[in-house]
């Protein structure tokens, strides 16, 4: 349970924020390394005990699965019992939870599929094909970015004006066709989760009233990174009675490129009258010298509410800046410093090289290899982004939902079974003309002899495989289902032979 000692472990500014009046809106401006997640967790614990507020009336949200898991774990450790029933998670995770519960009100199938980035791109390409657009002239990734940006702003295709701009006109058409395909295949992308959750609440007054009664306390981490639709959904949920407690750093908004609106944290007083502001300025992560350098740079930011990071720790070593001639000179300099560090008797394991984009690792790796310095690259493809995992999931999704066009396209010729690009394009055209799923168009093409004999046999074999799998896995445990799918589909043999690294 939450105890007085938990509060005593906080510094003065942290404790003041945690114990702010429960009926107030609170904005905590927290610098890097100042313990903002700790403050958020302690605020949740303080609301429940000693303030005796129901855990089920609390809605806590952050931006990454890792941060959400950490928040949930810390809350459970602080409270001494499971937080499983509480709404603690990422924006997308909580929106997904909401839509699963209210699929009917959201005009979704309860078992809707979620498209990841690559699945979404494949669907965009299908939309462009339906519109007879040449990918050499119209970049699918640009169209994908356009769609996501519009959804993050809360706009459907019908809300957009082309203003006689032929490029924008075409992108709006792609967006509309893409959305039609998603609706027909019961699929949603990540941006759609929030947009659909917002629309569902906005358009259903009875449901909105229910959640106004359910949730009274809203806590948001990294508030400076909220985009328009995230903020809109939160504002709708909070209504006039909810109390908002946000933690963020107006000097750390780095996600403007994906729709983050720094003004959300700057305009709190206007949107939530009576907002109380606290500043967490004591840093527990960096040396004094680093903080002074950071403060000097941050002071040049135009739109900020102001804070000055400091530490009770040592000043540390001076900051060194090296202006490299090019990327190879930069890598040479870094590797030379590493070698000098190791020669002085220090452990190479204590050295980390940070870079902003994966593509930058190559030149550093080449320099390290040339100097015969062992290294390890952290990152790369995450588990669920690996080709073999996505292939298995696609089969499982297709077994559960024949209308999942993204999964159909991914595995119809995986492992290779002689179904070429022309055949798939033919099925796309049939599906587009009839307004049906790729599965239905494939079945119609086989039954109606609309394909060449060899292609028809291959397509029919694939359809039969999925049908057989569907029967075999009925009532079977998930682990056994995955094993059966991988064995019978041929994925196990295919990926065990594939050493070329298919990626995604």
């Amino acid at each position: 349970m939450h105890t007085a000692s938990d509060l005593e472990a906080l510094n003065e500014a942290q404790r003041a924020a945690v114990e702010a009046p429960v009926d107030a809106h609170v904005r905590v401006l927290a610098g890097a390394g100042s313990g903002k997640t700790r403050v958020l967790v302690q605020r949740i614990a303080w609301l429940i005990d000693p303030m005796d507020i129901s855990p089920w009336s609390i809605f806590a949200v952050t931006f990454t699965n890792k941060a959400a898991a950490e928040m949930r774990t810390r809350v459970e450790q602080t409270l001494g019992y499971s937080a499983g029933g509480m709404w603690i998670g990422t924006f997308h995770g909580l929106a997904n939870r909401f839509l699963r519960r209210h699929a009917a009100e959201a005009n979704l199938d309860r078992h809707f599929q979620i498209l990841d980035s690559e699945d979404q791109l494949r669907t965009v390409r299908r939309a462009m094909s339906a519109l007879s657009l040449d990918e050499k002239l119209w970049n699918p990734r640009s169209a994908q970015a356009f769609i996501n940006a519009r959804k993050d702003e809360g706009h459907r295709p019908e809300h957009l004006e082309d203003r006689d701009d032929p490029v924008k006109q075409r992108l709006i058409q792609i967006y509309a066709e893409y959305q039609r395909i998603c609706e027909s295949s019961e699929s949603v992308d990540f941006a759609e989760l929030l947009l659909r959750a917002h629309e569902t609440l906005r358009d259903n007054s009875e449901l909105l009233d229910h959640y106004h009664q359910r949730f009274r306390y809203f806590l948001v981490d990294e508030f400076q990174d909220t985009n328009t639709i995230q903020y809109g959904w939160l504002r709708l949920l909070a209504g006039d009675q909810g109390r908002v407690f946000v933690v963020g750093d107006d000097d750390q908004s780095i996600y403007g490129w994906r729709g983050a609106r720094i003004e959300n944290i700057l305009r709190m007083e206007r949107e939530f009258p009576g907002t109380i502001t606290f500043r967490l300025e004591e840093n527990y992560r960096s040396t004094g010298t680093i903080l002074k350098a950071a403060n000097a740079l941050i002071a040049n930011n135009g739109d900020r509410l102001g804070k000055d990071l400091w530490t009770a720790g040592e000043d540390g070593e001076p900051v060194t800046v090296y202006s490299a001639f090019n990327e190879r000179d930069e890598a040479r300099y870094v590797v030379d410093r590493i070698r000098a560090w190791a020669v002085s008797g220090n452990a190479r394991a204590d050295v980390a090289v940070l870079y902003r984009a994966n593509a930058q690792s190559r030149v550093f790796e080449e320099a390290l290899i040339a100097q015969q310095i062992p290294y390890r690259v952290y990152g790369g493809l995450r588990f669920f982004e690996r080709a073999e995992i996505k292939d298995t999931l696609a089969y499982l999704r297709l077994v559960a939902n024949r209308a999942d066009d993204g999964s159909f396209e991914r595995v119809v010729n995986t492992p290779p079974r002689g179904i070429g690009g022309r055949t798939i394009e033919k099925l796309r055209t049939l599906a587009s003309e009839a307004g049906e799923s790729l599965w239905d168009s494939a079945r119609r093409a086989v039954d109606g002899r609309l394909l060449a004999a060899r292609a028809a046999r291959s397509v029919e074999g694939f359809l039969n495989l999925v049908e057989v799998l569907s029967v075999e896995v009925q009532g079977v445990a998930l682990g056994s289902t995955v094993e059966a799918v991988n064995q019978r589909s041929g994925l196990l043999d295919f990926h065990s032979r594939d050493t070329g690294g298919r990626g995604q």
Side-chain angles (χ1 to χ4, degrees):
M1 269 300 199
H2 192 251
T3 63
S5 61
D6 295 318
L7 292 176
E8 290 170 1
L10 302 175
N11 65 37
E12 185 178 345
Q14 290 171 337
R15 181 164 182 168
V18 168
E19 294 183 315
V22 295
D23 60 349
H25 300 299
V26 178
R27 174 176 58 190
V28 181
L29 300 177
S34 62
K36 56 180 178 287
T37 302
R38 185 182 190 185
V39 165
L40 203 66
V41 170
Q42 291 297 337
R43 174 69 172 186
I44 294 173
W46 185 80
L47 288 173
I48 297 170
D49 178 34
M51 300 311 294
D52 200 28
I53 287 168
S54 168
W56 322 124
S57 68
I58 294 173
F59 185 97
V61 62
T62 188
F63 273 81
T64 67
N65 290 323
K66 181 180 179 181
E70 180 185 0
M71 186 188 297
R72 194 177 297 110
T73 299
R74 287 202 199 178
V75 167
E76 289 176 347
Q77 290 173 344
T78 302
L79 298 178
Y81 55 81
S82 172
M86 293 177 65
W87 283 54
I88 299 176
T90 64
F91 271 108
H92 292 106
L94 295 178
N96 180 42
R97 181 174 177 176
F98 172 84
L99 291 175
R100 298 288 178 189
R101 288 192 174 192
H102 304 290
E105 292 93 332
N107 295 317
L108 287 170
D109 182 276
R110 186 166 171 268
H111 302 290
F112 65 83
Q113 303 294 334
I114 300 176
L115 303 175
D116 66 13
S117 180
E118 290 303 310
D119 291 333
Q120 183 189 28
L121 181 61
R122 192 175 291 109
T123 306
V124 169
R125 285 195 162 113
R126 185 181 166 199
M128 291 173 60
S129 176
L131 295 170
S132 301
L133 296 178
D134 187 345
E135 290 189 16
K136 294 178 182 177
L137 302 176
W138 298 94
N139 188 324
R141 290 194 182 277
S142 295
Q144 180 185 26
F146 175 84
I147 292 169
N148 288 336
R150 300 295 83 74
K151 288 190 177 188
D152 285 344
E153 294 167 356
H155 297 314
R156 294 294 185 189
E158 58 271 23
H159 300 149
L160 301 174
E161 297 180 8
D162 58 53
R163 301 185 185 280
D164 296 324
D165 181 338
V167 174
K168 190 172 183 180
Q169 183 179 63
R170 186 63 77 186
L171 289 171
I172 293 171
Q173 290 174 344
I174 295 171
Y175 181 5
E177 178 62 19
Y178 165 84
Q179 197 60 35
R180 187 197 66 76
I181 294 171
C182 287
E183 297 288 347
S184 67
S185 62
E186 296 291 348
S187 301
V188 303
D189 53 56
F190 284 107
E192 180 73 20
L193 287 171
L194 280 156
L195 178 54
R196 188 71 67 101
H198 179 269
E199 291 173 339
T200 302
L201 268 184
R202 182 197 64 196
D203 300 337
N204 191 317
S205 58
E206 186 176 340
L207 192 62
L208 180 58
D209 183 62
H210 165 77
Y211 280 101
H212 281 167
Q213 296 297 321
R214 166 70 189 274
F215 296 122
R216 292 303 179 93
Y217 300 92
F218 298 84
L219 299 99
V220 187
D221 198 8
E222 305 292 359
F223 191 67
Q224 77 281 352
D225 290 332
T226 52
N227 62 28
T228 299
I229 200 66
Q230 289 164 343
Y231 180 84
W233 191 45
L234 177 71
R235 190 71 188 87
L236 198 59
L237 277 167
D240 295 327
Q241 301 302 315
R243 288 297 174 261
V244 176
F245 184 101
V246 306
V247 180
D249 187 350
D250 53 320
D251 294 320
Q252 276 198 82
S253 185
I254 61 174
Y255 292 113
W257 57 274
R258 70 181 188 193
R261 301 280 187 178
I262 184 64
E263 56 265 31
N264 290 344
I265 198 169
L266 300 177
R267 68 183 183 185
M268 276 282 293
E269 293 97 333
R270 296 200 308 271
E271 293 285 324
F272 299 98
T275 292
I276 303 172
T277 298
F278 296 89
R279 287 172 170 79
L280 304 185
E281 298 174 311
E282 183 174 2
N283 179 281
Y284 295 93
R285 185 183 300 163
S286 303
T287 63
T289 301
I290 289 176
L291 292 178
K292 289 173 186 174
N295 285 331
L297 289 172
I298 291 170
N300 294 297
N301 288 350
D303 295 323
R304 64 190 300 259
L305 296 165
K307 58 185 177 300
D308 192 23
L309 300 181
W310 61 276
T311 180
E314 59 185 17
D315 282 344
E317 298 181 12
V319 175
T320 301
V321 177
Y322 178 74
S323 181
F325 179 70
N326 55 30
E327 70 276 13
R328 295 196 176 278
D329 182 39
E330 179 183 52
R332 178 201 57 75
Y333 173 79
V334 169
V335 172
D336 285 348
R337 291 293 299 272
I338 294 172
R339 175 168 288 283
W341 168 271
V343 168
S344 299
N346 298 296
R348 287 192 297 258
D350 291 337
V351 177
V353 178
L354 308 180
Y355 44 84
R356 291 298 302 272
N358 288 332
Q360 291 178 277
S361 74
R362 181 179 60 84
V363 67
F364 286 108
E365 291 185 67
E366 290 175 352
L368 288 165
I369 291 170
Q371 293 286 337
Q372 296 184 326
I373 297 176
Y375 65 92
R376 177 180 297 171
V377 177
Y378 290 87
L381 288 177
R382 289 173 290 185
F383 181 75
F384 286 103
E385 291 176 344
R386 295 170 60 180
E388 59 268 34
I389 304 304
K390 293 184 72 173
D391 291 344
T392 300
L393 288 173
Y395 271 104
L396 291 171
R397 287 172 172 173
L398 203 55
V399 165
N401 175 19
R402 304 295 193 278
D404 189 339
D405 289 340
S407 295
F408 182 99
E409 283 207 48
R410 183 173 186 91
V411 296
V412 66
N413 197 42
T414 304
R417 49 177 59 90
I419 302 174
R422 288 186 179 181
T423 300
I424 296 173
E425 187 59 38
K426 172 73 172 176
L427 297 180
R428 285 188 190 133
T429 300
L430 290 172
S432 179
E433 291 174 347
E436 62 189 7
S437 69
L438 287 173
W439 177 275
D440 289 340
S441 70
R443 178 60 70 190
R444 183 161 59 89
V446 170
D447 294 342
R449 300 183 179 181
L450 303 178
L451 299 174
R454 182 177 177 182
R457 285 194 299 272
S458 297
V459 171
E460 185 174 25
F462 171 70
L463 298 178
N464 291 340
L465 167 65
V466 175
E467 295 288 10
V468 168
L469 281 171
S470 180
V471 174
E472 287 187 351
V473 302
Q474 284 291 328
V476 177
L478 180 59
S480 299
T481 296
V482 172
E483 185 177 353
V485 165
N486 281 330
Q487 287 281 4
R488 185 173 282 279
S489 67
L491 284 179
L492 200 61
D493 289 339
F494 173 62
H495 284 296
S496 66
R497 294 193 306 268
D498 180 21
T499 59
R502 288 174 59 225
Q504 297 182 332

